[in-house]
Amino acid sequence: MARSPKKVSLEAPRGRRSGVLGARNPQPSRDRFGRFTEWVARAMGTPQFLAMLSLFCVVWIAWNTLAPERFQFDSADLGFTALTLVLSLQASYAAPLILLAQNRQDDRDRVQIEQDRQRAERNLADTEYLAREVVALRMAISDLTDGLVTKETLRTELKTALERLDTDDRPDPR
């Protein structure tokens, strides 16, 4: 039996494909995870975090030392093994998250340094251009005055040029 060809319309956008391969779950954004790692790194570096972690450890130890034996869940005789495991687990997740946050910060710093370098190059080019223009002005004025151009000579020539421009720009009073 021959397949009937499907009519494809280009007037409307294609929808999502259906079927086993077409139904994809959207992937979580890498940026969202990066922001999460930065949040964790910032939170772990605060005095509040250290105070809360210290309070957690004090409560854990106090509970497992002072509470009736049937309510204790981590024996002091064994050196608070569960507390050690919980803190080790927290540290094993904290270190990679902090490193990921540092990598993101390094990437941002690298982009900022590149932008600063480009801005400095533009400023240098502008400064060199202006310096060449000043030299060209001095040379032109020295050709006009047939002598050494001092700052005072340059000022008077520029003032004269500005006055001529002002008189040329004024409308005719007729």
Side-chain angles (χ1 to χ4, degrees):
M1 200 154 131
R3 287 176 128 180
S4 61
K6 290 185 179 180
K7 190 171 185 176
V8 176
S9 171
L10 297 177
E11 295 173 4
R14 267 178 34 183
R16 290 188 155 213
R17 295 187 304 181
S18 59
V20 176
L21 295 177
R24 291 185 184 172
N25 292 333
Q27 296 295 321
S29 169
R30 291 181 67 197
D31 194 46
R32 186 180 304 156
F33 184 71
R35 285 192 309 267
F36 170 74
T37 61
E38 288 175 345
W39 175 80
V40 168
R42 273 193 303 274
M44 287 186 165
T46 62
Q48 293 87 358
F49 175 79
L50 293 174
M52 292 299 289
L53 186 61
S54 298
L55 181 67
F56 172 78
C57 291
V58 167
V59 168
W60 183 293
I61 292 170
W63 179 269
N64 287 296
T65 305
L66 303 174
E69 204 166 308
R70 63 182 182 176
F71 293 118
Q72 293 178 5
F73 52 87
D74 193 13
S75 173
D77 297 337
L78 297 176
F80 299 109
T81 306
L83 176 63
T84 304
L85 290 174
V86 167
L87 292 176
S88 296
L89 181 66
Q90 182 267 335
S92 68
Y93 276 97
L97 289 176
I98 290 170
L99 289 174
L100 286 171
Q102 286 176 341
N103 288 343
R104 281 178 51 93
Q105 184 62 45
D106 288 343
D107 292 342
R108 279 195 302 272
D109 289 345
R110 197 172 299 114
V111 168
Q112 184 64 43
I113 289 169
E114 178 62 24
Q115 290 173 347
D116 289 346
R117 186 189 61 77
Q118 291 172 354
R119 191 175 303 115
E121 284 178 355
R122 285 192 305 267
N123 288 341
L124 181 63
D126 290 345
T127 304
E128 289 175 348
Y129 171 76
L130 290 173
R132 285 191 304 270
E133 289 296 313
V134 168
V135 168
L137 282 172
R138 281 189 174 197
M139 290 173 61
I141 291 174
S142 69
D143 288 344
L144 291 174
T145 60
D146 294 329
L148 184 64
V149 178
T150 62
K151 287 183 185 178
E152 193 56 40
T153 309
L154 188 58
R155 282 190 189 111
T156 57
E157 291 294 328
L158 287 174
K159 282 181 185 176
T160 307
L162 280 173
E163 288 171 0
R164 270 190 263 143
L165 285 174
D166 284 343
T167 58
D168 291 345
D169 288 345
R170 290 188 188 143
D172 198 15
R174 293 187 222 165

